[in-house]
Amino acid sequence: MAETPEICVGASFSIGADGTWFHDGHPVVRPELVRLFARALTRDGQGRYWLVRPAERIPVVVADAPFLAVEMRVKGSGQDTVIDLRTNIGDWVPLGAEHPLRVDAAERGPRPYIALDE
């Protein structure tokens, strides 16, 4: 069984409600770096987010959701309709049983979410 990497306390990562990644309080502006960090992002059983590397894990504070849908593609019609959503890191996610849609009521109004880690 693999050992859990040590927690790194020297770095600060967060993701704003608008999907902006921050490192030590500064926005990460290079899309390539955001995609690199996103590939290392995991969520534990308590709902906490981490950047996990072989030797360390870094806590990530997420304001709302770590990824945003920025584009929608609809194919087919009726029962054969397929809806795909593109995230802010460029991944296409098919809406459906593996990635269900839910709408949460919030002070700012209803907010749609799709499950990425089901």
Side-chain angles (χ1 to χ4, degrees), residues 60-79:
V60 179
V61 176
V62 177
D64 186 15
F67 308 111
L68 301 175
V70 296
E71 184 178 349
M72 182 173 77
R73 178 172 61 196
V74 180
K75 296 180 272 185
S77 63
Q79 295 282 49

Side-chain angles (χ1 to χ4, degrees), residues 49-69:
Y49 290 93
W50 301 90
L51 287 179
V52 178
R53 299 167 15 131
E56 64 188 355
R57 58 190 167 119
I58 304 166
V60 179
V61 176
V62 177
D64 186 15
F67 308 111
L68 301 175

Side-chain angles (χ1 to χ4, degrees), residues 9-118:
V9 294
S12 167
F13 278 91
S14 62
I15 304 171
D18 67 351
T20 301
W21 283 66
F22 295 90
H23 176 252
D24 291 339
H26 302 285
V28 178
V29 296
R30 291 184 48 210
E32 300 84 8
L33 277 178
V34 171
R35 282 192 292 278
L36 179 68
F37 293 145
R39 299 289 181 247
L41 187 69
T42 64
R43 191 173 186 188
D44 68 17
Q46 287 83 34
R48 297 174 298 196
Y49 290 93
W50 301 90
L51 287 179
V52 178
R53 299 167 15 131
E56 64 188 355
R57 58 190 167 119
I58 304 166
V60 179
V61 176
V62 177
D64 186 15
F67 308 111
L68 301 175
V70 296
E71 184 178 349
M72 182 173 77
R73 178 172 61 196
V74 180
K75 296 180 272 185
S77 63
Q79 295 282 49
D80 297 324
T81 302
V82 176
I83 299 173
D84 296 316
L85 302 171
R86 186 174 59 84
T87 69
N88 58 320
I89 61 166
D91 294 335
W92 284 97
V93 180
L95 195 58
E98 274 190 54
H99 304 287
L101 174 70
R102 79 172 199 277
V103 178
D104 288 353
E107 291 178 19
R108 301 171 299 223
R111 298 184 56 89
Y113 295 90
I114 59 170
L116 297 179
D117 55 4
E118 293 292 333

